Every structure is written in C-alpha cells, then in structure tokens.
C-alpha cells in the first residue's frame, strides 16, 4: 500500500437508484381514447386534425393518445405518414 493512499469501501446494498415516478401501469383508456378507437374502427382514414377539432384539443394531445394506444398494442399505423392509416390490432 502506497503512503498517503486512502481506501474506502462503500456497500451497495442501500444504493439509491433513479426511480421513474408518475408512470402508471395498466391505465384504463379515457373517453377520448375510446372515441379514437371507435373512429379508427369506423373510418380507417381518420386523422389527427379531425380528432383534435372534435375534442377541441391540440394535435399534440391526439398524437400522445395515438402513441399510447400504439405502445399498448391496441392500434398500429399501416403505410406512410402521408397516405397511411390506423388499424386496430385484433387480439
């Protein structure tokens, strides 16, 4: 051991790790998401603008709902961004 060298041992048992907060699990669909699913079932070419006008919310809000539905494997987007459409995923 070198002179002037200090060695310390830190136990990792109580190590605090980053915890993701506000990430609910199995969140039920809200009324807007249910309506979006219904519209996709009825009119496959429904778009963000039409939905945002109907609900009087921003496009960003509708895109967030669509992303949630996609991440939870309820819907999928088929085709290109410009000419594609949404489909329900049958389980």
């Amino acid at each position: 051991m070198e002179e002037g060298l200090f060695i310390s041992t830190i136990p990792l048992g109580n190590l605090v790790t980053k915890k993701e907060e506000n990430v609910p699990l199995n969140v039920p669909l809200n009324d807007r998401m249910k309506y979006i699913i219904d519209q996709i079932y009825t009119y496959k070419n429904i778009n963000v603008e039409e939905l945002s006008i109907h609900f009087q919310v921003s496009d960003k809000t509708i895109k967030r709902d669509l992303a949630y539905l996609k991440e939870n494997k309820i819907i999928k987007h088929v085709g290109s961004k410009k000419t594609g459409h949404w489909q329900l995923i049958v389980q």
Side-chain angles (χ1 to χ4, degrees):
M1 190 164 167
E2 294 181 32
E3 189 175 313
L5 182 64
F6 178 75
I7 298 176
S8 176
T9 303
I10 302 172
L12 298 177
N14 295 327
L15 182 66
V16 177
T17 59
K18 182 179 177 187
K19 178 182 172 187
E20 291 191 35
E21 296 180 20
N22 300 325
V23 182
L25 299 175
N26 299 321
V27 175
L29 301 177
N30 63 35
D31 290 338
R32 190 175 55 236
M33 290 180 191
K34 290 176 186 177
Y35 180 83
I36 291 170
I37 292 168
D38 181 59
Q39 292 301 297
I40 290 171
Y41 178 76
T42 307
Y43 312 102
K44 70 177 183 178
N45 291 323
I46 192 77
N47 64 39
V48 171
E49 183 181 0
E50 292 169 337
L51 291 167
S52 65
I53 290 169
H54 175 79
F55 285 106
Q56 298 179 349
V57 297
S58 69
D59 288 358
K60 188 174 181 179
T61 298
I62 298 298
K63 288 178 182 178
R64 187 172 43 246
D65 288 346
L66 290 169
Y68 177 87
L69 295 170
K70 186 177 176 183
E71 288 169 9
N72 286 281
K73 297 181 178 25
I74 297 169
I75 63 172
K76 66 180 177 179
H77 193 266
V78 178
S80 69
K81 285 185 177 184
K82 187 173 182 179
T83 62
H85 63 274
W86 292 99
Q87 281 184 347
L88 296 178
I89 297 175
V90 180
Q91 296 182 1

